[in-house]
Amino acid sequence: MANNEELFKQIIAHAKEYGFIFPSSEIYDGLSAVYDYGQNGVELKNNIKQYWWKAMVQYHDNIVGLDSAIFMHPTIWKASGHVDAFNDPLIDNKDSKKRYRADVLIEDHIQKIEDKINKEVEKARKRFENFDEKMFRETNGRVLQYQKQIDDITERFAAMMNANDLAGLKALIEELGIVCPISGTRNWTDVRQFNLMFATKLGSVSDGADTIYLRPETAQGIFVNFLNIYKTGRMKLPFGIAQIGKAFRNEIVARQFIFRMREFEQMEMQFFVKPGEELKWFDYWKQTRLQWHTDLGIAPENYRFHDHEKLAHYANAATDIEFKFPFGFKELEGIHSRTNFDLSQHEQYSGKKLRYFDPELNENYVPYVIETSIGVDRMFLAVFSNAYTEETLEDGSTRVVLKLPAKLAPYKAAVLPLVKKDGLPEIGQEVFDMLKKDFMVQYEDKDAIGRRYRRQDAIGTPFCITIDNQTKEDNTVTVRERDTMAQYRLPIADLTVELMKKLR
RNA sequence: GCGGUAGUAGCUCAGUUGGCAGAGCGGCGGCUUCCCAAGCCGCAGGUCGCGGGUUCGAACCCCGUCUACCGCUCCA
């Protein structure tokens, strides 16, 4: 495990040293869990997005794209459930260092009192023949006393939750004598609210509802545009809407480099299907998405499905594609069967009909949805950490090479005159000018050739094109492959076509 | 948020008891070189994470703080 920690640190250091990822605001001491993508990182990231967009939008005639705004009407987040779900009051026990949801602690306490009532009922049932449970519950003194406690607590608890009275919740927990199940003490911190949505203010929304949120997921932008795209695109079920965009979550703890950031980017596709067909399509997307990953040439054993046992309230099936990161298998992509929950919620909150008219059945209904959702940054980390390789060569020397899938590499080729004289740089410039129209290419003529190869290895450039004296005679160049270091000669005129072939 | 560990040049790291802030690699300008880093010459690059305190004097001691990594916790 220590080895993996060391490896992860080296990967992070490499990402910085070679212009892939920098800590945000670094000259001001940085900003926790925010990162910037540097000159090579932005290329790799863009290539990942393009690979996804092509696979989803370009290769499916029934999937279209969308770029919805980050700002959205605040009611959307009430409809989606995020306003409530992202507002948990949390409290820590200072002795056990464990954190709990304050509302859950109180609910558990209420449950304990209910258990006591049930015990009384069971005792009585054994004692009396012709036991009338309803009568007993309504008349037994001890039960009534317990029930009164429950009613009191529930009433005050509900009022506090509605009023967002955090100090009151703490007082209630202390008053009820709730102890930490681990430490057994009542040594609690104050109750704090962790709202996982970032709020900001918009100038003029009616009725003082001027708080708006930075979206915590891109999916809702798709749902609220369902009708627009269905109508204007003349879409027929099943069809999908794909979107790539930033999302923001005020994570309590954001950690592990770019794995969990406060500002991150998602690639989401919502696939609308006929009710009853959702599980068929769920399986289809499960396989299709896994295929997308393994098509990159990354070993399949780095991936596994993790099917959810406990489903969210809106889902009737869910799985994660997990990837073997340097710190273990973690979620890379989620595939969820979200039923018609989201569209139904938006129907209810907006008062608009979000329905599909099915010409075959001659009736309309709210479509079901299969969601595929992958984090761009997590994909970046998966590809990057998988590519990072330290090799010892036959002659005992070492090299660090990023074995990136060629189509994702920041630069596709480097043009390198073998020496900086004899007219070779001039030819190199011509080759560079020819290739740059179709590919990201680098030209470099400083330092010994071996050193330049190593530099290109370190940023994952799959091909190095070397100009030598023979080039002047027959217009051929050496192509050197990154992973094998094998070399072969090609006519300059064939370079573009050959590169295209290799990058498909 | 709690605990542990760390922060000195772009990177990796030395820095003795408190006494002129260093090395290797890398970068830049040259030289050399016809195929895989560590040949030669030269140059640039630092408020020792930040703030305060102790001291004649602080990279070093004390306090605070920020950031990162690991563990706990959280993750519709």
Side-chain angles (χ1 to χ4, degrees), chain A residues 415 429-442 496 499:
Chain A
V415 179
Q429 275 296 340
E430 283 173 28
V431 174
F432 173 77
D433 287 337
M434 176 186 85
L435 292 175
K436 74 183 182 188
K437 293 168 192 160
D438 295 300
F439 311 99
M440 284 293 293
V441 193
Q442 272 191 349
T496 299
L499 279 178

Side-chain angles (χ1 to χ4, degrees), chain A residues 31-64:
Chain A
L31 186 62
S32 184
V34 185
Y35 291 89
D36 298 336
Y37 286 82
Q39 69 278 15
N40 291 320
V42 65
E43 297 295 337
L44 174 53
K45 194 180 182 204
N46 280 340
N47 291 339
I48 288 170
K49 289 193 270 187
Q50 191 189 39
Y51 174 57
W52 185 87
W53 193 262
K54 280 192 173 176
M56 302 303 272
V57 178
Q58 187 172 327
Y59 297 170
H60 287 92
D61 63 3
N62 60 347
I63 298 180
V64 295

Side-chain angles (χ1 to χ4, degrees), chain A residues 25 42 178 212 250-251 253 267 269 271 280 286 297 308 346 386 416 421 442 490:
Chain A
S25 318
V42 65
I178 295 175
I212 60 169
N250 210 354
E251 301 283 356
V253 174
M267 303 188 284
M269 192 277 299
F271 197 70
K280 181 184 87 182
K286 239 177 113 166
H308 290 205
H346 287 305
N386 184 258
L416 313 171
K421 61 178 184 185
Q442 272 191 349
L490 279 181

Side-chain angles (χ1 to χ4, degrees), chain A residues 185-217:
Chain A
T185 69
R186 301 174 191 180
N187 192 8
W188 298 105
T189 63
D190 286 341
V191 177
R192 283 159 303 180
Q193 189 95 274
F194 288 89
N195 188 341
L196 294 199
M197 282 196 292
F198 285 94
T200 187
K201 299 286 181 184
L202 192 70
S204 54
V205 176
S206 60
D207 297 325
D210 58 351
T211 295
I212 60 169
Y213 298 101
L214 302 185
R215 65 183 178 201
E217 63 174 25

Side-chain angles (χ1 to χ4, degrees), chain A residues 211-322:
Chain A
T211 295
I212 60 169
Y213 298 101
L214 302 185
R215 65 183 178 201
E217 63 174 25
T218 55
Q220 298 306 323
I222 295 177
F223 294 129
V224 300
N225 278 294
F226 165 76
L227 207 56
N228 285 334
I229 288 182
Y230 161 47
K231 295 290 186 190
T232 62
R234 296 163 34 247
M235 310 304 286
K236 293 203 169 50
L237 287 190
F239 72 89
I241 303 176
Q243 171 160 232
I244 300 176
K246 287 279 178 93
F248 306 83
R249 291 183 199 177
N250 210 354
E251 301 283 356
I252 299 168
V253 174
R255 263 320 163 65
Q256 275 157 335
F257 196 37
I258 57 170
F259 184 80
R260 178 170 292 118
M261 295 193 289
R262 300 213 156 95
E263 172 179 345
F264 60 105
E265 197 158 10
Q266 292 182 305
M267 303 188 284
E268 291 197 312
M269 192 277 299
Q270 308 293 332
F271 197 70
F272 301 94
V273 303
K274 193 170 169 175
E277 293 186 350
E278 68 272 16
L279 294 180
K280 181 184 87 182
W281 285 108
F282 176 75
D283 285 335
Y284 169 83
W285 282 110
K286 239 177 113 166
Q287 299 311 321
T288 303
R289 290 306 305 153
L290 183 62
Q291 186 71 37
W292 181 84
H293 288 281
T294 53
D295 278 352
L296 283 174
I298 297 173
E301 55 265 31
N302 288 309
Y303 298 91
R304 71 180 187 200
F305 284 115
H306 172 243
D307 294 325
H308 290 205
E309 304 287 327
K310 208 180 95 194
L311 295 169
H313 56 286
Y314 55 72
N316 65 1
T319 194
D320 295 335
I321 296 176
E322 294 188 335

